Structures are given as structure tokens and as C-alpha cells.
Amino acid sequence: MKILTFKLKPKTLFGIILALTGIAVILLTFISNHVDSTESVSAVISASTEEERINYLSAFGWETEKEYETKELTIPAQWNDVYNDYNEVQKNQGFDLTDYKGRKVTLYTYKVTNYKDIKEGIVADMLVCDGILIGGDICNTSAKDGFLTGFKGEQGSF
């Protein structure tokens, strides 16, 4: 029976450990830069024209009337629970209103004509700042059956 032994000098052992650590760091850096992140990064969505806004809504299957209402409003600098909950709806669809606190925005409201079997009271609200869509929702404005969802139409807990 043969026994194989190695005798390493401390400098050689330190060099091997240093080389293996360097390779591990390079591999981890490469992998982390090339793996899809689970965090959603919202793309800039132009909504400066009526056509762009209607096309965005129709991408989710919504049909709207051509007429719409506009309102200038300011997103409050300090939020209460309602704004925090509303921003959660926005985050779930890739928007975040946090960076727009205290800023003036335009609210575009379109009547939706094809929401399931409900024919009246369904609107699409779109929040636009400097021509960029920053958030919005589909909601039922009736007091009795009111609801609010993201653009996909999936009702949340808002």
C-alpha cells in the first residue's frame, strides 16, 4: 500500500487559496450580471398623445370611448394609508408613485366600454407626468359595486 503525501509551504497554500477565491469572485460577478433579476424594472411609457394612451389601454384589451376628461392634480408629499395602498396597486403593475410625491400630474379618465358584463361606470384612469405614464387603474365608480384594479383587470385588495 502506498501513501501519497503533500507538503505545502505556507506561501504556496496562501497562493492557492487566493487564486480559488479570485476565481469564485469572478464567477459570482459574472453570474449575477447575466441572470434575469426578479425585480421588475418599469419601462418608460410615453402617454403624451391620445393615441398613445388609447393604444396602451387596448394592449390590455380595453375598449374606450374617444372622449376623455383631464384633471390637473398634485400627488401629496405626505401620504396617508389610502395613498400607500394605491401605490401598492401601482407597484404590482410596475409603476411607483414615490418619486412623484409633491409633483403635478395630469389625470386622464376614459370610459371603458367592454368590462365583463358591466356597461356603466367603468373607467380607466391614467396618471401622466411630463408625457410619461406613471400609473393608473381600472375602476368602477359606482358607490354600490365600486372596485379598483390595475390595468390587467385583476382585482386586488385595495
Side-chain angles (χ1 to χ4, degrees):
M1 179 162 104
K2 289 187 175 186
I3 297 177
L4 186 60
T5 60
F6 292 102
K7 187 170 184 177
L8 295 175
K9 295 179 185 178
K11 285 184 179 180
T12 307
L13 182 60
F14 179 75
I16 292 172
I17 292 172
L18 188 61
L20 290 174
T21 304
I23 291 170
V25 167
I26 291 169
L27 283 174
L28 287 173
T29 303
F30 179 80
I31 290 170
S32 67
N33 287 336
H34 290 86
V35 173
D36 288 336
S37 173
T38 56
E39 189 177 311
S40 86
V41 177
S42 64
V44 173
I45 301 165
S46 180
S48 58
T49 67
E50 177 185 351
E51 182 181 10
E52 289 173 332
R53 293 187 297 273
I54 289 176
N55 286 341
Y56 184 79
L57 292 171
S58 66
F60 292 100
W62 302 121
E63 296 172 7
T64 62
E65 293 181 358
K66 281 277 191 188
E67 295 129 19
Y68 59 91
E69 296 177 17
T70 62
K71 182 189 282 188
E72 298 295 319
L73 46 102
T74 302
I75 296 177
Q78 299 295 320
W79 288 358
N80 58 19
D81 288 341
V82 173
Y83 266 94
N84 286 324
D85 290 344
Y86 185 72
N87 198 44
E88 283 304 311
V89 172
Q90 300 313 308
K91 287 179 177 180
N92 288 336
Q93 59 182 355
F95 299 108
D96 187 354
L97 300 177
T98 305
D99 292 339
Y100 298 94
K101 287 182 175 183
R103 301 229 6 226
K104 291 186 180 193
V105 300
T106 303
L107 173 67
Y108 293 91
T109 302
Y110 291 87
K111 290 182 181 177
V112 175
T113 59
N114 68 329
Y115 188 87
K116 300 180 183 177
D117 58 347
I118 304 173
K119 302 296 179 202
E120 294 291 321
I122 306 298
V123 297
D125 290 322
M126 302 178 84
L127 294 168
V128 177
C129 184
D130 298 327
I132 304 299
L133 182 66
I134 62 166
D137 59 78
I138 303 295
C139 66
N140 184 338
T141 58
S142 78
K144 179 183 169 196
D145 299 316
F147 63 82
L148 183 138
T149 74
F151 289 120
K152 290 181 181 178
E154 300 163 350
Q155 291 190 11
S157 60
F158 183 73

